[in-house]
Amino acid sequence: GVVLVVDDADPGRLLDRLRLAGIDRVDVLVVRRGTRPTASTVLILRRRLAVGTVLAPADHRIRDAVVPAGPVTVGDLVIEVTAARPTLEVEVGPAGPPG
């Protein structure tokens, strides 16, 4: 799975770097700040890429984003939430063996 963590990114530069890396979809977009400018970046990314789940901090302004209540598994990765306020803090690492 593809997990992208965004923190006050310039959408044009971000899209250029994703294109250069050959990424045309993001399974989970982790948004550290739920501000209006970040919401705009998310909207631009959604218009240009296939974006799955969007995780955001509490009190965010991002349409259809969710505040994660616990770990999120994406393919062979796990996203552990360490804080949801004022910013979303996560650690991304390999998922453990099933069961």
Side-chain angles (χ1 to χ4, degrees), residues 21 32 35 39 42 58 85 90:
R32 293 199 59 240
T35 62
V42 171
R85 180 178 276 131
V90 299

Side-chain angles (χ1 to χ4, degrees), residues 8-54:
D8 295 331
D10 172 82
R13 289 182 61 200
L14 180 57
L15 284 167
D16 285 344
R17 291 184 181 204
L18 291 170
R19 183 182 50 78
L20 287 172
I23 296 172
D24 61 356
R25 70 171 173 75
V26 174
D27 297 302
V28 177
L29 178 61
V30 178
V31 181
R32 293 199 59 240
R33 301 177 198 284
T35 62
R36 191 169 289 145
T38 305
S40 177
T41 297
V42 171
L43 182 62
I44 291 167
L45 288 175
R46 284 177 164 161
R47 288 180 179 162
R48 302 282 180 92
L49 301 171
V51 176
T53 303
V54 178

Side-chain angles (χ1 to χ4, degrees), residues 2 6 11 17 34-35 39 45 54 56 58 60 68 81 89 92:
V2 176
V6 176
R17 291 184 181 204
T35 62
L45 288 175
V54 178
H60 65 82
V81 178
E89 303 295 333
V92 180

